[in-house]
Amino acid sequence: MMNFPFTAIVGQTQLKTALLMCAVDPSLGGVLIRGDKGSAKSTAARALTDILPLISRVPGCAFVCSPDIPSEHCPVCNGLDVVAVASPVPFITLPLGATEDRVVGTLDLQQALKGAERVFQPGLLAAAHRGILYIDEVNLLPDHLVDVLLDVAAMGVNSVQREGLSVTHPARFSLIGTMNLEEGDLRPQLLDRFGLMVEVAAPRDKTVRAEVVRRRIAFEADTAGYANSWQDSQHSLRGQLVAAQQLLPQVLMADALLELISHICCEFEVASLRADIVIHKAARTLAALAGRIQVTPEDIRTAAELALPHRRRRKPFEQPGLDQERLDELMQAALPPQHSTDDGEPDPNTPPPEADGLDAPQQVFAADPATAMATIKVDSPARHSASGKRNTALHATRGQVVRSVPDSQPSSLALAATLRSAVLRDGSDFHIQADDLHQQIRTGKTANLILFVVDASGSMAAQRRMAAVKGAVLALLTDAYQHRDQVAVIAFRGEAAYWLLPPTRSVELAEQQLQDLPTGGRTPLAHALHLALETVGTRQGLPPLLVLLSDGKANVALQEGGDPWQESLALAHLCADSGLPALVLDTETGYLRLGKARQLAQALRADCLTLEELSAENLVLTIRGQLH
């Protein structure tokens, strides 16, 4: 399938720059592309392959060896009459559902069945050597594959020890990953392995959007013809990359600029020393792309904008990014005076700074800081007590296959492992015995649906109380973030309850929506509990937890002529009878308290805590038991 021409991509300057930098210097570590659906993330990543300079490679080599340094396990490159040819750079896609054997490599079963000696069958990591490993929706990659990538990215080699095999081969590649923020974030360890990060969004200008559509339609109507019309610009850009690769070793950086890099990293509280190294490499790469052998302060600034946003120390749910004004201050001493005339007046040819384009925010109560809180364990009233862990569950009946183990009575047969065992036992007389049987080990999903039901009515409209409530929810979201749970937020005020945020793994979006939550009006508590019950009923297989934040002063009936309070109690009993674990945070304040929230907690068979009680060191929500 032909890719969309790289040079035909409209806009996305920062994204294209980051990809070109990785093409010039693969040791940068690749680029993470974050953005909304339909913002050309995958299009740009795949288009890069057509402009990459060719590499020297021996045809048929599965390890993508450098002809001068062949892998000891490569039968092709270590053979006679080896002739290398110019070949495209490998672009390998790692599917989210790939097995560990497919990624790292395994025993060549076909060769083993022929009675040959044990032969290693290379996996995707070998195929990506000296090229690009591409992962779409990288934030959804299973943890067992993330662990593999972390090991290989750290060492630059892939080591396989299994089934009598002991193989180590080079696996150095640029990692390009795309992700949509709505699906949640990456593990910090993997996030740091990406050298650069770019935030992309669809253009807001109607003229630009129209041009994007115009080019895409033309490409789909005549793919080959359209690609050919961009051939000259593609060839020119490929030449620029070749020149930059040749120039890169000659690029120099003044020691003062190196100190500037370290100063910037310290000021932005970046813990990882990898940030300093990446900025250094990226700045030199930018200079090489520009045809220069000297790094400038502007190169440092551009590199910092790409290397620091995902590495700087952040609070939970704080969006990646850099304070541009702070970066300007740090760069001011290094940048030469610009954009002024000899008489000190501003240069009239310099465009004015762009406005941020944001309307004035709605008058809402901000959240208190999400302070650390006490450990809370929420027991399910209708489930058997279990280990209390929310980690990945092995030996699950459904889920991703991660490995296989010997088992004479397997409930789920691992066919490949069983055949390999039989071959290794006696290749000349192949037959399967009970000792050869293997069991598939799967990883099941034990994440939870944390359903926040937040009272935003007039009874909660005091600024101090609402700020405290928002701060409590943000602290609760911290735990959900750490455990990659799904999060949903229901708000209720006025005459009904409504979705503030449907179930999602992006707790950052939940935090954004919560910050903008207005208050005031009546208290339709029964409506909120009814909506919560409906939600839980449609999320089968995902263990739920209800977190209700309210003072319990219901005054809007669900049914015409009904009693709002009695309806709320009845729905609370239904929640408890359905086995829904819950936690109630009583937001009532003052000396005279009606205790409605505590009565709700009793009906829910849940713990009830006041906001004042949530002030210790760390908050952990633990659901004990399993859904049956």
Side-chain angles (χ1 to χ4, degrees):
M1 181 178 178
M2 189 170 292
N3 296 314
F4 190 83
F6 188 89
T7 52
I9 296 174
V10 180
Q12 305 292 16
T13 302
Q14 191 179 51
L15 171 58
K16 291 190 288 188
T17 298
L19 291 172
L20 293 176
M21 291 166 64
C22 291
V24 173
D25 185 2
S27 70
L28 281 172
V31 57
L32 175 64
I33 309 170
R34 295 188 2 151
D36 296 331
K37 299 179 290 290
S39 52
K41 303 187 298 295
S42 298
T43 298
R46 297 183 186 280
L48 178 66
T49 60
D50 295 331
I51 60 169
L52 292 176
L54 302 179
I55 62 172
S56 180
R57 177 180 177 182
V58 177
C61 170
F63 292 87
V64 199
C65 302
S66 174
D68 298 331
I69 314 174
S71 170
E72 62 177 305
H73 301 285
C74 181
V76 174
C77 293
N78 288 298
L80 300 175
D81 300 325
V82 174
V83 178
V85 298
S87 302
V89 170
F91 185 90
I92 304 300
T93 299
L94 196 161
L96 296 180
T99 63
E100 189 172 326
D101 285 351
R102 181 72 185 94
V103 175
V104 303
T106 186
L107 176 72
D108 190 328
L109 187 58
Q110 185 176 10
Q111 293 297 322
L113 287 172
K114 293 179 180 178
E117 63 180 15
R118 296 173 184 177
V119 177
F120 177 68
Q121 183 176 22
L124 296 177
L125 296 179
H129 180 50
R130 302 172 65 205
I132 293 171
L133 185 65
Y134 173 71
I135 310 174
D136 198 13
E137 303 294 350
V138 63
N139 50 319
L140 301 182
L141 195 67
D143 284 343
H144 70 281
L145 294 184
V146 172
D147 294 338
V148 170
L149 281 180
L150 288 174
D151 290 340
V152 175
M155 304 300 296
V157 296
N158 177 39
S159 296
V160 182
Q161 308 287 335
R162 59 177 61 186
E163 295 152 348
L165 290 169
S166 179
V167 175
T168 299
H169 65 81
R172 297 183 179 88
F173 44 79
S174 291
L175 189 61
I176 297 181
T178 63
M179 60 174 286
N180 182 351
L181 182 60
E182 294 177 358
E183 295 292 342
D185 214 334
L186 277 174
R187 282 171 52 180
Q189 299 93 330
L190 183 56
L191 188 64
D192 188 48
R193 286 292 170 185
F194 284 97
L196 313 174
M197 191 190 81
V198 178
E199 293 277 359
V200 297
R204 301 294 182 181
D205 184 273
K206 63 180 182 181
T207 304
V208 176
R209 291 177 73 99
E211 181 61 21
V212 171
V213 175
R214 190 178 295 113
R215 294 188 182 187
R216 187 68 201 187
I217 296 300
F219 175 74
E220 293 179 358
D222 181 9
T223 300
Y226 188 81
N228 187 63
S229 67
W230 290 87
Q231 199 67 8
D232 290 345
S233 60
Q234 293 273 99
H235 181 75
S236 175
L237 184 54
R238 187 182 297 111
Q240 182 183 352
L241 292 179
V242 172
Q245 288 178 340
Q246 296 172 347
L247 184 62
L248 182 60
Q250 306 173 40
V251 177
L252 302 176
M253 177 183 293
D255 196 60
L257 293 182
L258 177 57
E259 293 183 0
L260 174 63
I261 292 173
S262 297
H263 179 60
I264 291 173
C265 292
C266 290
E267 289 297 314
F268 278 107
E269 300 183 2
V270 179
S272 172
L273 282 171
R274 189 173 287 110
D276 306 58
I277 297 172
V278 170
I279 294 177
H280 185 281
K281 290 183 176 181
R284 293 178 64 242
T285 303
L286 286 166
L289 275 169
R292 292 183 276 102
I293 60 171
Q294 290 288 343
V295 174
T296 67
E298 275 300 329
D299 294 329
I300 301 293
R301 181 195 172 96
T302 302
E305 290 176 338
L306 294 169
L308 291 186
H310 58 302
R311 289 191 172 92
R312 67 178 182 82
R313 194 179 300 277
R314 293 182 286 151
K315 299 177 181 177
F317 322 119
E318 184 183 358
Q319 292 289 331
L322 286 180
D323 183 339
Q324 295 295 323
E325 292 184 0
R326 179 60 178 151
L327 184 59
D328 284 338
E329 293 175 2
L330 296 174
M331 295 296 304
Q332 187 173 6
L335 287 172
Q338 296 181 18
H339 308 315
S340 61
T341 58
D342 293 339
D343 58 3
E345 293 297 320
D347 187 345
N349 297 318
T350 301
E354 295 182 0
D356 58 13
L358 299 179
D359 296 327
Q362 185 179 358
Q363 185 67 36
V364 294
F365 298 132
D368 277 353
T371 55
M373 298 185 177
T375 298
I376 300 174
K377 292 183 178 179
V378 183
D379 290 305
S380 169
R383 298 175 190 167
H384 302 293
S385 180
S387 65
K389 294 182 179 179
R390 297 164 71 179
N391 302 352
T392 300
L394 294 178
H395 306 284
T397 57
R398 303 175 64 183
Q400 174 74 38
V401 176
V402 294
R403 65 180 66 91
S404 57
V405 296
D407 190 335
S408 60
Q409 294 182 324
S411 59
S412 178
L413 180 66
L415 180 60
T418 298
L419 294 176
R420 282 196 296 267
S421 177
V423 170
L424 293 174
R425 178 174 45 76
D426 189 350
S428 60
D429 182 20
F430 175 74
H431 64 279
I432 297 176
Q433 299 178 353
D435 293 343
D436 298 321
L437 299 179
H438 279 62
Q439 166 75 32
Q440 288 181 334
I441 301 299
R442 297 176 180 269
T443 174
K445 295 180 179 179
T446 58
N448 303 284
L449 171 62
I450 312 296
L451 180 56
F452 295 100
V453 179
V454 181
D455 187 342
S457 64
S459 62
M460 294 262 304
Q463 181 174 356
R464 181 64 230 150
R465 280 179 288 164
M466 198 59 205
V469 168
K470 288 186 177 183
V473 174
L474 296 188
L476 291 164
L477 284 171
T478 302
D479 180 70
Y481 169 79
Q482 293 170 346
H483 293 92
R484 298 180 69 81
D485 292 318
Q486 284 201 20
V487 177
V489 181
I490 292 175
F492 59 102
R493 60 188 289 267
E495 297 299 322
Y498 59 95
W499 282 112
L500 192 66
L501 186 77
T504 177
R505 282 193 170 86
S506 175
V507 290
E508 291 182 346
L509 291 181
E511 188 270 345
Q512 292 172 11
Q513 296 287 359
L514 189 70
Q515 292 285 11
D516 296 332
L517 174 63
T519 62
R522 305 173 72 189
T523 311
L525 176 58
H527 292 255
L529 292 173
H530 184 264
L531 182 55
L533 265 176
E534 285 185 341
T535 302
V536 171
T538 60
R539 309 294 290 190
Q540 296 297 326
L542 197 62
L545 169 65
L546 173 66
V547 181
L548 174 64
L549 295 95
S550 176
D551 55 16
K553 299 174 183 177
N555 54 26
V556 178
L558 185 63
Q559 301 291 336
E560 185 176 353
D563 184 317
W565 173 240
Q566 293 302 321
E567 287 178 341
S568 299
L569 285 178
L571 285 165
H573 282 294
L574 283 176
C575 290
D577 292 341
S578 69
L580 174 62
L583 172 67
V584 177
L585 300 185
D586 183 1
T587 58
E588 189 175 27
T589 58
Y591 293 103
L592 182 61
R593 303 190 181 188
L594 301 179
K596 296 284 189 179
R598 193 161 296 275
Q599 293 180 53
L600 272 176
Q602 291 173 354
L604 287 164
R605 302 174 208 162
D607 289 334
C608 182
L609 302 175
T610 63
L611 291 180
E612 291 88 344
E613 291 176 290
L614 299 179
S615 58
E617 196 161 292
N618 184 31
L619 177 64
V620 179
L621 297 175
T622 302
I623 300 178
R624 293 180 176 174
Q626 302 288 335
L627 279 176
H628 296 288

